Amino acid sequence: MAEPQPNMQLRTLVGSAQRAITESARRPAFELPYTPPDLRPNPAVEPFDKARAGLFALSGMLLLATALAFGAGMDGRSQASLLDTGLVHAVIWPVIGITLIGSAVFSALPAQLSSRRQRASGIYALSAAALMACALTLASGFLPWTAASVSGAATGIALYGVHQLNRHTARNRAERIATDMPLGFFAGFALVYTLQLVFAAAGWNGQGHALAVSLVAVAAAVPAAVFAHSERGRHAFASGFGLTMAAAAIQGWLRSATPLWVCMLWVFLAVVVFVCAENRRFQVSHAEHRVQAGRMLDF
């Protein structure tokens, strides 16, 4: 006797559902393209946490005081090169000092004092700020190569601090604004300032040095683009790098001291680094939306 038609349809539907469940179980899970935030409770507060927050605030104050004391007086000393930002650094360094002080105050809050990302990045942020204060002092004292070396060390430490922030993703918007942005902007601005000191110390201030300056700047822009394209998109870092390069382009064009094609290169590098940060933000947003919708990614 033939099986009733409704029973056959029911079995077909059940079989289709079972196959869909099996295929879904076999589908590989997608992980977002950055380290997920660590939402575990903070460890117990230790004496080193309080010392770190205090030293961070002191280093920010030292950078602020040094920038105010020596910033404007470095015109013509650290800027005698084809990468000339004018007096932009005399304005930006005090601003960076103030933001780092604010970041230190934020790191001393009870919810931040012993957090793992503050422990991972705070020591590098305070060290970079203190070393950069020394570099500003040395640059104002006509010690260009020493200043360039110290500034390079500060920049490297700041970049490593940004790397630590990449390993410990911000848990909320407040951490991204108060912890990531000050250090990121500092690292981007310091990278170009170090190039400025190196070119000035080497005496690369003539038309004949345009090619050498351009090659070194392009080489420095490569790691800058990599850092800008990290985590959720390091726009603060890209802004620090791009603002300085754009200032150098405008200054060189106004003074006719830098070839026009070199000025255009400065603007191009600034745009490339910022586009890398924006591209990363788009990729992460795209990934998050597709994961939330339960769909696979197409990149």
Side-chain angles (χ1 to χ4, degrees), residues 240-258:
F241 181 90
L243 172 65
T244 323
M245 297 300 286
I250 295 172
Q251 182 76 1
W253 178 69
L254 291 177
R255 291 187 177 183
S256 300
T258 305

Side-chain angles (χ1 to χ4, degrees), residues 1 9 17 25 33 51 55 77 95 114 121 136-137 188 241 265 272:
M1 184 175 181
Q9 293 178 350
L55 290 174
R77 300 178 186 180
V95 174
S114 63
S121 63
L136 295 177
T137 304
F241 181 90
L265 177 64
V272 166

Side-chain angles (χ1 to χ4, degrees), residues 11-24:
R11 289 188 177 184
T12 301
L13 291 174
V14 171
S16 299
Q18 290 177 342
R19 286 193 297 271
I21 293 173
T22 303
E23 292 177 0
S24 177

Side-chain angles (χ1 to χ4, degrees), residues 61-74 77 89-90 93-94 133 136-137 140:
M61 294 178 184
L62 177 63
L63 179 60
L64 174 61
T66 305
L68 291 175
F70 302 116
M74 288 188 294
R77 300 178 186 180
H89 71 284
W93 278 127
L136 295 177
T137 304
S140 68

Side-chain angles (χ1 to χ4, degrees), residues 59-75 87-98 100-101 129-130 132-138 140 186 189 193:
S59 65
M61 294 178 184
L62 177 63
L63 179 60
L64 174 61
T66 305
L68 291 175
F70 302 116
M74 288 188 294
D75 190 28
L87 287 177
V88 170
H89 71 284
V91 177
I92 298 301
W93 278 127
V95 174
I96 291 177
I98 293 172
L100 289 178
I101 294 172
M132 188 56 71
C134 296
L136 295 177
T137 304
L138 292 169
S140 68
F186 172 88
F189 193 86
Y193 180 70

